[in-house]
């Protein structure tokens, strides 16, 4: 299978922004094993800003653009250093790919991006994709990595996109506020009801919330690609997802 796995800041870091070492080690181990079992994996990873905030001791996610971009520049190094180190343990090679919305919009640049990712997969590497936050401004940004991961999944013709988050999937209501909220295991149609329960809000360090995940599901399923929202707290669940077992919320791609 060709998998695109998106990891959110809340999965990679503690609320302080510091690396969640146990989690990231498990994630790299499982992804390495999935590769050893002949799956292709493209990782879309957030965490640059969050890790930069922690490394620069900024205390909280900055709101001004230059500080955010400076934090991303520092954090992106830390992120790739971490992946390089952890995947090397299992003899896997990572490749950093940074894009902006502009690169996706422009046909030529999008083709270069696709060719590079396909070549990296042929060479056996793990492309690690993030938005190029140091140069991205509102006008040219994709804006969030759920959307970016969906665009990547469609462009690389993935079999499945898995969005790993700090929630088990899509619920009938916000489970933080409503104890009667129930997990929706399967979504075939992204109708108004699904949109209305997706709400807003994300974590303190990340960007996405449920609404960006539903937008990602729309892009994916319109492009004929299946998508799963699952909790990143237990990376071993990726094995079940690849085996076709039900985890989190599954969105059926339109065939
Ligand atoms: N590109 C941002 C980062 O690496 C994350 C965007 C997102 O979380 O959606 O910090």
């Amino acid at each position: 299978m060709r998998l695109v796995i998106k990891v959110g800041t809340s999965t990679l870091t503690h609320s302080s922004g510091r690396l969640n070492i146990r989690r990231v080690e498990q994630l790299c181990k499982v992804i390495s094993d999935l590769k050893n079992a002949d799956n292709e994996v493209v990782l879309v990873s957030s965490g640059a800003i969050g890790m930069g905030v922690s490394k620069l001791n900024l205390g909280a996610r900055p709101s001004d653009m230059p500080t955010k971009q400076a934090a991303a520049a520092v954090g992106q190094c830390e992120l790739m250093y971490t992946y390089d180190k952890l995947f090397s343990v299992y003899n896997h090679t990572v490749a950093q790919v940074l894009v902006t919305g502009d690169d996706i919009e422009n046909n030529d640049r999008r083709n270069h991006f696709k060719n590079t990712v396909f070549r990296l997969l042929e060479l056996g590497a793990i492309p690690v994709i993030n938005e190029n936050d140091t140069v991205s401004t509102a006008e040219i940004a994709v804006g969030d990595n759920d959307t970016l991961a969906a665009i990547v999944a469609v462009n690389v013709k993935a079999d499945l996109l898995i969005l790993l988050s700090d929630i088990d999937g899509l619920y009938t209501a916000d489970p933080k506020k409503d104890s009667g909220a129930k997990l929706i295991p399967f979504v075939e149609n992204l109708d108004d009801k699904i949109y209305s329960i997706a709400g807003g809000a994300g974590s303190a360090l990340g960007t996405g919330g449920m609404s960006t995940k539903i937008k990602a599901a729309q892009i994916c399923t319109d492009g004929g690609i299946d998508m799963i929202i699952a909790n990143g707290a237990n990376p071993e669940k990726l094995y079940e997802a690849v085996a076709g077992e039900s985890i989190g919320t599954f969105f059926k791609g339109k065939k």
Side-chain angles (χ1 to χ4, degrees), residues 9 45-50 61 130-131 133 143-146 206-208:
T9 305
S45 180
S46 303
I49 299 177
R61 189 182 161 99
N130 195 359
E131 180 133 30
D133 294 317
D144 69 87
N145 276 2
D146 294 324
T207 308

Side-chain angles (χ1 to χ4, degrees), residues 4-6 149-150 153 159-163 220 225-228:
V4 176
I5 300 172
K6 183 260 174 176
D159 296 300
L160 178 65
L161 165 65
I162 305 168
L163 299 181
C220 259
I225 289 161
D226 298 335
M227 190 189 102
I228 290 174

Side-chain angles (χ1 to χ4, degrees), residues 4 42 44 99 104 113 117 129 147-158:
V4 176
V42 175
V44 175
V99 293
I104 308 289
F113 162 75
V117 173
I129 303 176
T147 308
L148 177 61
I151 293 170
V152 168
V154 171
N155 276 286
V156 305
K157 299 188 171 42

Side-chain angles (χ1 to χ4, degrees), residues 163 165-173 175 182-185 210 213-214 228-232 247-251:
L163 299 181
S165 183
D166 56 356
I167 187 161
D168 288 343
L170 177 67
Y171 280 81
T172 51
K182 288 201 174 54
L183 182 78
I184 304 172
M210 200 42 83
K213 290 177 179 52
I214 297 305
I228 290 174
I229 300 173
N231 202 321
I247 66 160
T249 302
F250 184 93
F251 297 84

